[in-house]
Amino acid sequence: MNIGQIESALRDIFNEPLKDGEQRKIVFWVDKEVEFKEEIVQLMIDGVKVQTLSNRNQFYMKHLLEEEDPTSSYLIYTNLELGVEDNWLADTVLYSKTFFADRVSLILSELQVDPSLRAVIKKYERFFNNKERFRKFQVFGIESFTEETIDLAIMSVLCNVKTPGFEAVLKAVLMDTLDDSDNKYLSQLVKYFDIDVFWKYVANHYGYERETKTLKTLFIHLTVTAFNHSVSEKYLTDVQDFIAVRNKTNALVFIDHWMHHKTDYTVFDEYAEMVEQEIQFSSIMQSVPVEEFRQADTFPYIDKAVIIHIANSLMEKLEDYEEYTKLIKLRRAKHYYEKYASVYEALYYTVKMHEFHKEHQQGIPQGRAIDLYDAYRKSYHVMDTYYRKFYVAYDEESNNELLKKLKELVEHLYTNWFMGELSSNWSQAVKSEMTEEWLLPGVQNQQGFYSSIVAPHMRKGERVFVIISDAMRYEVGVELAERLNSETTGVCDMQTMLGVVPSVTKLGMASLLPYRHRGLDFDENGRVLVDGKDSAGLENRKKIIESFVEDSIAIHFQEIMAMNKAGRRETFKGKKLIYIYHDTIDAMGDKASTEIYTFEAVENALNQLYDLVKIIRDDLSGTNVYITADHGFLYQRETLPESDKIGNESMETIEVKRRYMLSKEKRDVSGQLAIDLTSIVKNDQQLTAYVPNGTIRNRIQGTGVNYMHGGASLQEVVVPLVSYKNKRVGQKGSQVIQKVDIRLTSTIRKITNSIFNLNFFQTEKVEDKLIPRTVVMYMADAEGNVLSNEETIIGDRSFDNPTERSFKLQFVLKSISYDRNKTYYLVLKDTETGVITEKVPFTINLGIVSDFDF
């Protein structure tokens, strides 16, 4: 303000009407910088006397105003602080008006900042000269000003931070760019703040002290210091200069919070990869043992190192499989796991296959057919699952060189060892026991499905849904049953049926239909008849079903999925027997151009079947559901060698496919099992099915030999029968689906060190109706401000032994002052729902904050 503006403003004040009880006006003009000392002498305002107040005349001024002249209006010019206790005029000031003409004084007054901080406000006067910046500063609603609160508020405004705090300020600066010359927030701090003060805060909070300061070296400093939390400095001599000497915990917590932010982590990941290149992190890691870095989580290469370690150990035939599995599961809770999830999955199933091989290092034993069948049903089938899951993961990262090496191990174990031994032993057992009569003691035959499983419901007037998924082999049915058991309130039972031979769609589908005395049979052209009627295709099957149960329907899965709820209810209204045909696996596997996607099709099929069961349960109120298949399948990824193909025998046949031949001739054929079909079909044609031993294929023209069915291998003829009984909540026998609980077991509730360990326990094992829970946990104050790193527990352990469901985690507190009389909290939060599952009170008494926490 110039003197003219000041004179005008003062006139306006003195011309205001007197308030009740007011006889005159006294205005104290405080000019802290004494900018208008010369002008005050010449100032003239009608009816107002002008005086100057100094340290020497306070008593005189008080006597003048209150004794000598108690009626005149006065303008008192001064550069003194009026609020101090030893001010003689303090009571006069209270009923008078104080006027400021300089910007700094106006700011102090408007913000109600103590005048002792005048120098701080004066230093940043340029910042306050902008209305929008001033408004944002005010919005923070700071109640008690100090130099630090003013610094943080200014930096927060300039960096667009919503709540004042240096962690948020620094993150905003780093998020923009690590190029100092191009960083918009750094530029703002230079213009409207003091960049040296900014770097002083960085040093005080994070121990970053370098002669030449840059954002890039700061970020390297923060990440290397955080990494040092897990890995000893003796392995980090090449980057010693980047490790903080003090306040290391702050660096770790800062990095941890940034990594775990739901969106900002992408920028962090980009920077972390840059740091890896700058410091040649992969070279540093060469000398660090895996035990040292197994918990580390700062750089993406850490996970690469873990993966390489396990893969190399497998290739070197080091059999510590339990440790490899623990290490992979530990890494699931780490930041970069998702980046390498497919590689980890492939590695995990490679380990599981090796573990299976070690458990059966004496080989797959020969035995009776029923013993091999039961062994496959109970345990051997997991190798099919491991092999399938490996390739599902492999196909996500098929160009990964390490996975190509693992693929060689997997193919050797599965194709050469497991399938070689199992299929050979099974073929021998079949040849000895089952070629004349295709049955096993105590095992349901597939062609008896309707009479044994469905018909009893029909006789009771109960409604039944039958889902037939083409080529859903046994191990796939097991996975579906496990999922239905754990994720729905229904009860799921897993059985098997001995599938028909040849294990082809036309015979398998027919065997699941109802039939009378004429039963199943082939005609002279190889068609499959049911009671003399053609059973090929949906319409023919529909007629056969309706001839048994009038209120029935046969329908494709896709038709149901295309309907809305009302359409479904109308379609199935009054129907007692519903056959639903699903064909995702076979449709993909049975074509040479798409057979490579067989395992992907299995994953899709599992999701579709799960959804279909839920639709039957929720939209159609279905209670009795059976999910089965016409046959299984063989699949191997590697190209079959010519030795796995067998030439055709010279004989009269009615059908020849890669996995079987049908002929009226009956004789021994080298490399083939000759199975009399009389125990499977009526067999008016007196047919014999010739199926190659093991997994051999018949050599015929055409492509597509990796995916096969039609033969008599366990993978083809062990047919799953999943029976699902819907149980509503509250119904007898129903169980509510619940997540397992994760609880703190440590009894201590006082923290005395900024680095501390806590123990946790998964209270139940994961099993039917008890599903996994993932929790994130951290220390926070009463306002919810996070004070530590975050740790994650994936509670999916299914061990009976409680000690194997225990977890020990390390937490690191920010290096700040803690009030020993306040309550702080360990917060456990469900990551799926965001619900806080437990909030445990703690006190924190660190004494002197230590710089030697690591």
Side-chain angles (χ1 to χ4, degrees), residues 643-661:
S643 59
D644 280 359
K645 299 172 188 175
I646 189 171
N648 293 325
E649 186 76 11
S650 178
M651 68 163 63
E652 187 178 335
T653 59
I654 66 170
E655 191 167 63
V656 179
K657 299 292 183 181
R658 291 200 185 275
R659 282 289 289 163
Y660 71 95
M661 298 185 298

Side-chain angles (χ1 to χ4, degrees), residues 85-104:
E85 291 181 7
D86 57 354
N87 176 12
W88 283 87
L89 292 162
D91 55 342
T92 308
V93 170
L94 287 175
Y95 66 77
S96 304
K97 188 174 183 67
T98 305
F99 174 76
F100 300 97
D102 65 290
R103 177 65 180 157
V104 172

Side-chain angles (χ1 to χ4, degrees), residues 705-720:
V705 294
N706 291 60
Y707 171 91
M708 277 293 132
H709 59 86
S713 71
L714 288 163
Q715 284 79 5
E716 294 167 291
V717 301
V718 179
V719 174

Side-chain angles (χ1 to χ4, degrees), residues 450 454 458 514 516 542 544-553 575-577:
Y450 183 86
V454 180
M458 295 298 101
R516 294 182 174 86
K542 187 176 182 180
I544 292 167
I545 295 167
E546 287 175 347
S547 71
F548 269 74
V549 179
E550 186 178 350
D551 296 328
S552 62
I553 187 172
K575 303 300 182 186
K576 286 291 185 184
L577 179 59

Side-chain angles (χ1 to χ4, degrees), residues 313-353:
S313 299
L314 291 175
M315 290 171 193
E316 292 167 12
K317 296 183 169 41
L318 302 177
E319 298 182 341
D320 199 359
Y321 304 129
E322 185 179 352
E323 185 56 36
Y324 306 152
T325 301
K326 285 181 180 177
L327 187 51
I328 292 169
K329 288 189 173 183
L330 182 152
R331 297 307 301 177
R332 291 181 307 165
K334 301 301 181 181
H335 175 68
Y336 293 104
Y337 179 81
E338 286 304 314
K339 181 182 176 73
Y340 300 105
S342 296
V343 181
Y344 270 122
E345 281 284 291
L347 190 61
Y348 174 78
Y349 288 109
T350 307
V351 171
K352 296 305 287 182
M353 291 176 80

Side-chain angles (χ1 to χ4, degrees), residues 745-796:
T745 55
S746 299
T747 55
I748 188 167
R749 293 294 182 268
K750 182 178 181 181
I751 299 168
T752 57
N753 197 308
S754 59
I755 299 176
F756 58 97
N757 295 318
L758 293 175
N759 296 314
F760 299 85
F761 179 57
Q762 179 186 313
T763 54
E764 309 91 356
K765 70 174 185 176
V766 170
E767 56 183 342
D768 294 350
K769 315 307 178 196
L770 279 169
I771 61 175
R773 183 196 296 271
T774 300
V775 294
V776 63
M777 53 204 74
Y778 51 84
M779 295 299 301
D781 60 18
E783 289 73 42
N785 298 307
V786 180
L787 305 173
S788 73
N789 61 314
E790 292 182 2
E791 289 291 342
T792 302
I793 288 178
I794 300 174
D796 65 351

